[in-house]
């Protein structure tokens, strides 16, 4: 396993080409990961060019790279370039899909227990406005969506199945492909929030069977902050008109007429963070070059290694759910205030985060957890770092008892 991963990935070089890893022990990829030197340089170079020759002129000069964003993202998720829209973050990308759907009283939308808070707030708002109903499909014994219960829950009133692939608050990887088969068999639209999974694991929208997929740049993709994208499957979503249109998403074809453009760019708007588009394209290219199978194998190796180390620390309980566990490691430390622990680690240049019910109320509340510590690994992390993290964690936890 080890040897195989290293055959594919030059780990020392990946780390050397991550400037931030010289400064911090970063275990917060699920918040915002450290970018590579190549991504940072490409982003900075475009900002520099804008300052030197003007923003519009810089965009003209970088046109080929900017246009290359679409095929690069498409390749990463097995889509067609014209099925990709650049959006400034995952939440807005998801919103553009969700709020463009037309719910009627009694329509049902099916989701999962571990659903992300922003998505759930949107369900509540749309349910309040339209009379649609939210159905939360229970978890199975592994803590992932109960696929059989989902299948039973689908009925004639079901308008949408919408889940998060990997929640923000743990290692759980939802059986998103099985969910997709159920959605596709029933002819029900399927939105997949893949904010944490794109860049962490291989993603193939055709295998997943999703109609829409949203993702952010700064997490596992290692792109700049303030970037993201939406995938919209042409075959099933071409007739869906976006909730917002502007002069980029539509053409003003007559005094009293407009025509939304045909491809996924109809979900975009005109102004954007061009340096960020370039940075995210470069980050996607790097992920494509490394190969997502190798990245996924290495990230699981790191995360499993971290879980094994954490098991040896007094007072630590691992809180990750699911059959397959990804690169987000969560745990609680008995008798310790997690936020204070995070701050104590921050003072030692160790970055972790705390997931609270603010991020996923149903899941954490249901498990009786106020919050959990979250340590999320990426390619620049090393086994030596994990050793150091766990020893500092044990020390800090003992001090704050
Ligand atoms: C972080 C996260 C989001 C929000 O992404 P933004 O880019 O901050 O909008 C959505 N869903 C999940 C599961 C997340 O972890």
């Amino acid at each position: 396993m080890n040897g195989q991963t290293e055959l594919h990935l030059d780990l020392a070089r990946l780390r050397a080409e991550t400037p931030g890893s010289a400064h911090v022990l970063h275990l917060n990829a699920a918040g915002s990961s450290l970018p590579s030197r190549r991504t940072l340089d490409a982003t900075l170079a475009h900002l520099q060019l804008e300052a030197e020759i003007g923003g519009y002129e810089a965009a003209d000069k970088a046109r080929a790279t900017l246009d290359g964003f679409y095929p690069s993202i498409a390749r990463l998720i097995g889509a067609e370039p014209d099925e990709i829209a650049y959006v400034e973050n995952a939440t807005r990308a998801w919103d553009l899909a969700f709020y463009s759907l037309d719910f009627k009283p009694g329509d049902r939308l099916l989701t999962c227990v571990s659903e992300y808070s922003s998505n759930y707030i949107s369900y509540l708002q749309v349910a309040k406005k339209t009379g649609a109903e939210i159905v939360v499909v229970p978890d199975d014994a592994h803590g992932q969506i109960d696929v059989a219960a989902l299948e039973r829950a689908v009925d004639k009133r079901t308008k949408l199945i919408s889940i998060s692939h990997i929640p923000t608050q743990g290692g759980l990887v939802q059986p998103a492909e099985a969910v997709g088969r159920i959605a596709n068999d029933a002819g029900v639209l399927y939105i997949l929030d893949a904010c944490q999974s794109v860049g962490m694991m291989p993603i193939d929208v055709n295998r997943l069977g999703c109609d829409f997929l949203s993702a952010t740049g700064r997490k596992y993709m290692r792109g700049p902050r303030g970037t993201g994208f939406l995938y919209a499957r042409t075959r099933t979503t071409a007739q869906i008109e976006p909730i917002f249109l502007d002069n980029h998403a539509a053409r003003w074809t007559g005094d009293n007429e407009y025509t939304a453009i045909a491809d996924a760019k109809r979900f975009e708007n005109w102004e954007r963070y061009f340096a960020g588009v370039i940075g995210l394209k470069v980050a996607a290219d790097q992920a494509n070059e490394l190969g997502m199978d190798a990245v996924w194998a290495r990230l699981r190796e790191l995360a499993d290694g971290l879980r094994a180390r954490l098991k040896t620390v007094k007072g630590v309980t691992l809180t990750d759910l699911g059959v397959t566990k990804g690169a987000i490691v969560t745990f609680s430390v008995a008798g310790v205030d997690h936020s204070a622990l995070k701050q104590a680690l921050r003072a030692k240049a160790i970055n972790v985060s705390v997931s609270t019910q603010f991020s996923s109320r149903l899941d954490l509340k249901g498990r009786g957890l106020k919050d959990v510590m979250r340590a999320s690994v990426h390619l620049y992390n090393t086994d030596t770092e994990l050793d150091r993290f766990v020893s500092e964690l044990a020390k800090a936890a003992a001090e704050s008892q």
Side-chain angles (χ1 to χ4, degrees):
M1 176 78 185
N2 260 313
Q4 213 181 9
T5 301
E6 275 152 28
L7 273 183
H8 288 92
L9 301 174
D10 186 342
L11 297 174
R13 188 169 153 200
L14 278 164
R15 182 172 169 85
E17 291 174 354
T18 303
S21 59
H23 304 280
V24 286
L25 198 176
H26 194 67
L27 295 172
N28 194 15
S32 186
S33 64
L34 299 176
S36 71
R37 163 64 63 195
R38 200 168 124 196
T39 295
L40 176 63
D41 285 350
T43 309
L44 290 175
H46 192 76
L47 287 175
Q48 188 77 34
L49 189 66
E50 285 181 339
E52 284 169 4
I53 69 167
Y56 285 53
E57 296 74 12
D60 285 344
K61 206 162 178 178
R63 184 58 54 201
T65 311
L66 290 164
D67 289 345
F69 171 81
Y70 302 93
S72 294
I73 298 292
R75 188 174 153 209
L76 187 63
I77 63 167
E80 294 300 323
D82 64 2
E83 294 179 313
I84 305 298
Y86 173 80
V87 187
E88 62 264 34
N89 58 58
T91 303
R92 271 299 171 269
W94 185 95
D95 287 343
L96 285 163
F98 178 68
Y99 283 100
S100 298
L101 305 180
D102 185 20
F103 287 93
K104 303 215 164 34
D107 282 351
R108 302 172 83 192
L109 68 90
L110 274 43
T111 187
C112 60
V113 175
S114 64
E115 184 60 324
Y116 187 63
S117 52
S118 295
N119 303 349
Y120 207 94
I121 289 167
S122 300
Y123 302 148
L124 290 169
Q125 186 192 28
V126 163
K128 187 172 75 176
K129 275 191 181 170
T130 67
E133 248 178 73
I134 307 166
V135 178
V136 179
V137 177
D139 284 340
D140 67 13
H142 304 286
Q144 53 191 39
I145 187 169
D146 184 332
V147 174
L150 172 69
E151 197 158 18
R152 288 193 300 273
V154 175
D155 64 12
K156 282 205 288 288
R157 294 168 297 168
T158 306
K159 165 105 183 166
L160 174 70
I161 296 175
S162 176
I163 64 165
S164 296
H165 195 181
I166 294 181
T168 204
Q169 71 282 4
L172 169 67
V173 181
Q174 292 283 20
E177 238 182 273
V179 170
R181 276 194 296 274
I182 293 170
N184 296 170
D185 286 350
V188 167
L189 278 176
Y190 178 24
I191 304 182
L192 188 63
D193 174 342
C195 194
Q196 297 289 0
S197 52
V198 177
M200 185 198 293
M201 63 187 292
I203 296 287
D204 180 339
V205 288
N206 293 314
R207 293 186 60 162
L208 289 165
C210 52
D211 301 293
F212 290 107
L213 175 146
S214 52
T216 208
R218 73 182 184 282
K219 295 181 180 175
Y220 277 88
M221 293 186 73
R222 306 181 67 196
R225 292 200 70 170
T227 66
F229 71 86
L230 174 69
Y231 156 79
R233 181 182 297 281
T234 302
R235 192 162 47 72
T236 51
T237 70
Q239 302 312 315
I240 297 174
E241 188 170 297
I243 176 110
F244 301 125
L245 287 175
D246 72 350
N247 57 10
H248 171 86
R251 299 287 169 262
W252 198 0
T253 42
D255 288 359
N256 295 307
E257 262 176 42
Y258 68 86
T259 311
I261 62 166
D263 70 19
K265 288 198 184 71
R266 71 190 184 282
F267 289 101
E268 296 186 341
N269 59 66
W270 192 81
E271 175 58 354
R272 70 195 59 190
Y273 173 28
F274 284 84
V277 177
I278 291 173
L280 185 52
K281 178 211 184 299
V282 169
D285 287 344
Q286 281 192 289
N288 285 328
E289 287 161 22
L290 293 171
M292 284 311 302
D293 287 326
V295 171
W296 177 225
R298 175 58 185 159
L299 295 187
R300 272 182 304 165
E301 194 172 82
L302 278 166
D304 289 345
L306 177 54
R307 289 188 191 98
R309 285 169 174 84
L310 286 167
K311 273 189 193 153
T312 68
V313 180
K314 202 170 137 257
V316 167
T317 310
L318 296 174
T319 52
D320 294 329
L321 302 173
V323 174
T324 303
K325 292 182 178 64
I328 303 177
V329 177
T330 61
F331 54 96
S332 54
V333 189
V336 172
D337 178 79
H338 290 155
S339 297
L341 186 54
K342 170 184 131 174
Q343 290 309 330
L345 291 165
R346 176 82 60 89
K348 296 177 179 177
I350 297 174
N351 297 339
V352 294
S353 69
V354 177
S355 290
T356 67
Q357 292 181 11
F358 172 87
S359 297
S360 190
R361 187 182 164 87
L362 295 183
D363 175 27
L364 293 179
K365 194 167 133 262
R367 289 194 273 158
L369 296 166
K370 181 172 140 282
D371 55 29
V372 291
M373 298 291 295
R374 184 181 72 178
S376 42
V377 296
H378 215 317
L379 292 175
Y380 41 74
N381 291 126
T382 63
D383 290 341
T384 315
E385 280 188 325
L386 298 185
D387 288 338
R388 190 177 146 234
F389 165 63
V390 171
S391 112
E392 293 288 358
L393 175 81
K395 242 192 286 175
E399 278 161 20
S400 55
Q401 283 281 350

